Amino acid sequence: MKIAIIGTGYVGLPSGVGFAELGNEVYCIDNNINKINMLNKGVLTLYENGLDDLFTRNVKAGRLHFTTSMKDGVNNADLVIIAVGTPPHPVTKEADLQYIEAAAQELAPYLTGYTVVATKSTVPVGTGDKVEAIIRKSNPKADADIISLPEFLREGFAIYDFFHPERIVVGTDSERARQLISDLYATFENTKLLFVNRKSSETIKYASNAFLAIKLNYINEMANFCEKSGANIDEVALGMGLDSRIGNKFLKAGPGYGGSCFPKDTNAMSYMARQYGVTMPLIDTTIAENDARPALMAQRILQLSKPDAKIAVLGLAFKNGTDDCRTSPAIQIIEKLLEKKADITAFDPQANVSALKLLGNKIAYADDAYSAVKDADIIAVLTEWKDFTELDWQKIASLVRQKVIMDCRNILDATALKKLGFKYRCIGQKDE
Ligand code: NAD
């Protein structure tokens, strides 16, 4: 199958590499010429676990191409996937569809033969109708079905998720499109392909992300309670998660959810609901409480340190396994700390460069964790990288000025650290 993917970002690139690995001829299209030049030179433009080897192998095999040319990619394609960004509008927070609409406009003239055009970007309900209208108007002769094919990958696990999807949701009422998508995923014998109408498919994506955000906010609320009551949130989550009706995923208390999806999608869902005259207080409360969390975290860090303290931050990415810092709680906490004129040196195993683009030189960046903690008065762990649990904490004890840790991810071994003389604080446990 010839597949064109428009948008070579955190969704488009791993998906393109994955479809090529399945034996398809894949054209990854992006209008960012620097990105395409780098990829054509064999340089990856983002970090994602396990992407490197698959990328090299499929480029070598001649199945994976990178281009800025819509014509080269879309001509004769069986499937065109739209995977451009849908960022939040700066004021209304609704999903900004300008990139989707531009992509539909630009691809339409090059459709040849029967083509399925699938929107993989997360888009408001009814966007499929808009994409269809743009394509039909621009190229009335096109033999195309416009479908919804939402993406559920998790950054940091994008490659694993591509090859082990729990479900593929397809929004279409076209039998031909249904057949093509079934053929595309034929190798995933154990994966449920769910065919629904286009609007249901678009809604499933928002409904899923909003649900997960609410679940995370719930455990963070419970953590606040545990901090006062003396219960331990990790034990509480463990006990809750053993109930299969609740499940143990997304029950890890922390500094709030972040990244390029949950904050944006909950806001877009709330906006959409208001447009339909529907109130969604559960989602609105979640947004408000999560927005307030970075300030709460910063306050806890500052309470543990003196005014001119040197703060070592471990972790900048919004989660482990990625270099993505978009709406990262770590960045938001740092911004709150900077408002109080904090002196910060940070280290992230993958995200120093992405963070530099957001924070500039307002903080110092270290090449490794040991350099970051040198002469620190407090260490704040803000991303759940496994690397941090494997550090030589005895060595760190000898490098810091004060042995104080605020573990906003509850990943470190409290008992071992206390033995080394550290004052250890974390989420959802009463301070001793
Ligand atoms: P991204 O910003 O990393 O990538 C988008 C890419 O599209 C950019 O490289 C941009 O240059 C390119 N682009 C924009 N307009 C273009 C055009 N007209 N022609 C060609 N290229 C164009 O975004 P992302 O994180 O990959 O997200 C893409 C979509 O997928 C969003 O709607 C997002 O909500 C959704 N999504 C993201 C994830 C995730 O984990 N990142 C997961 C599921 C769904």
Side-chain angles (χ1 to χ4, degrees):
M1 210 178 274
K2 179 180 173 184
I3 301 176
I5 303 187
I6 304 173
T8 310
Y10 285 89
V11 167
L13 185 55
S15 305
V17 168
F19 283 126
E21 179 70 9
L22 293 180
N24 299 291
E25 187 77 12
V26 177
Y27 283 74
C28 291
I29 307 169
D30 207 287
N31 57 8
N32 181 332
I33 190 158
N34 294 332
K35 255 187 200 184
I36 295 300
N37 285 343
M38 277 174 75
L39 291 162
N40 276 326
K41 282 184 197 145
V43 182
L44 278 177
T45 45
L46 54 90
Y47 174 77
E48 180 59 51
N49 261 337
L51 182 62
D52 212 343
D53 287 350
L54 284 186
F55 167 77
T56 311
R57 181 156 77 228
N58 284 284
V59 169
K60 240 188 210 157
R63 288 191 293 263
L64 186 57
H65 314 273
F66 298 98
T67 180
T68 54
S69 163
M70 213 43 105
K71 184 169 182 232
D72 291 353
V74 174
N75 240 315
N76 296 319
D78 303 286
L79 173 65
V80 177
I81 294 174
I82 302 177
V84 299
T86 45
H89 184 281
V91 180
T92 63
K93 310 256 176 86
E94 70 192 286
D96 182 350
L97 291 181
Q98 63 168 304
Y99 304 103
I100 295 280
E101 288 166 4
Q105 195 71 54
E106 291 157 19
L107 73 86
Y110 303 112
L111 293 168
T112 44
Y114 174 66
T115 318
V116 171
V117 178
T119 304
K120 204 168 241 317
S121 304
T122 304
V123 291
V125 178
T127 302
D129 299 351
K130 284 189 186 161
V131 171
E132 173 136 28
I134 292 170
I135 291 174
R136 302 265 178 251
K137 188 170 176 210
S138 164
N139 185 352
K141 289 197 183 130
D143 182 14
D145 279 317
I146 318 312
I147 71 166
S148 160
L149 189 63
E151 179 56 66
F152 298 99
L153 67 75
R154 299 163 299 165
E155 280 183 36
F157 300 90
I159 295 298
Y160 178 86
D161 288 348
F162 180 89
F163 291 103
H164 307 87
E166 285 184 333
R167 86 289 211 193
I168 308 282
V169 174
V170 191
T172 185
D173 51 14
S174 153
E175 196 41 55
R176 279 201 294 176
R178 194 185 165 116
Q179 192 54 54
L180 185 134
I181 297 297
S182 301
D183 292 346
L184 178 69
Y185 290 108
T187 44
F188 300 153
E189 281 168 9
N190 298 323
T191 301
K192 169 90 183 151
L193 259 78
L194 179 69
F195 293 95
V196 293
N197 81 40
R198 205 159 58 190
K199 284 187 175 166
S200 299
S201 171
E202 290 166 341
T203 307
I204 286 169
K205 177 63 195 176
Y206 280 108
S208 301
N209 274 4
F211 182 84
L212 293 173
I214 290 169
K215 195 172 177 191
L216 280 173
N217 190 53
Y218 179 81
I219 202 68
N220 285 338
E221 257 189 17
M222 213 40 83
N224 293 345
F225 173 75
C226 290
E227 280 163 23
K228 300 291 177 202
S229 69
N232 175 329
I233 191 62
D234 293 328
E235 292 177 357
V236 171
L238 188 66
M240 286 171 65
L242 290 171
D243 182 335
S244 63
R245 294 170 304 174
I246 297 173
N248 60 9
K249 308 260 174 69
F250 282 74
L251 271 190
K252 179 90 177 138
Y257 59 77
S260 69
C261 291
F262 288 2
K264 156 175 100 61
D265 295 346
T266 43
N267 275 299
M269 182 68 234
S270 170
Y271 178 87
M272 243 187 317
R274 287 197 300 278
Q275 296 313 104
Y276 285 102
V278 177
T279 53
M280 291 197 152
L282 214 49
I283 294 179
D284 291 338
T285 304
T286 292
I287 294 169
E289 288 191 336
N290 195 68
D291 284 352
R293 213 150 164 83
L296 213 65
M297 297 296 115
Q299 200 185 345
R300 289 198 68 190
I301 293 166
L302 290 170
Q303 272 166 0
L304 284 167
S305 47
K306 52 188 176 51
D308 58 345
K310 187 172 178 308
I311 303 174
V313 164
L314 297 183
L316 294 162
F318 86 93
K319 64 188 286 197
N320 61 333
T322 177
D323 62 349
D324 198 349
C325 285
R326 291 177 288 181
T327 332
S328 167
I331 303 291
Q332 293 172 331
I333 294 166
I334 288 172
E335 279 167 347
K336 293 286 171 203
L337 293 171
L338 287 173
E339 284 171 16
K340 304 285 179 205
K341 310 259 178 292
D343 171 10
I344 300 172
T345 301
F347 165 71
D348 187 287
Q350 294 296 338
N352 276 13
V353 174
S354 315
L356 179 66
K357 288 181 195 150
L358 297 171
L359 293 169
N361 291 322
K362 287 190 255 174
I363 63 166
Y365 301 88
D367 291 334
D368 58 57
Y370 300 108
S371 316
V373 301
K374 188 149 182 357
D375 296 328
D377 293 297
I378 178 164
I379 298 171
V381 178
L382 302 187
T383 310
E384 70 278 37
W385 287 101
K386 189 161 168 271
D387 311 42
F388 300 149
T389 64
E390 292 163 352
L391 291 169
D392 178 348
W393 284 93
Q394 191 153 15
K395 180 175 169 184
I396 290 180
S398 70
L399 290 171
V400 294
R401 202 150 54 195
Q402 309 279 335
K403 292 192 222 172
V404 184
I405 297 175
M406 177 64 218
D407 181 359
C408 294
R409 296 290 187 169
N410 291 17
I411 54 168
L412 301 181
D413 181 342
T415 313
L417 289 169
K418 282 177 194 164
K419 261 194 208 148
L420 289 170
F422 278 97
K423 182 191 224 181
Y424 175 82
R425 296 285 180 268
C426 63
I427 306 289
Q429 289 180 39
K430 200 170 183 176
D431 292 349
E432 286 152 14

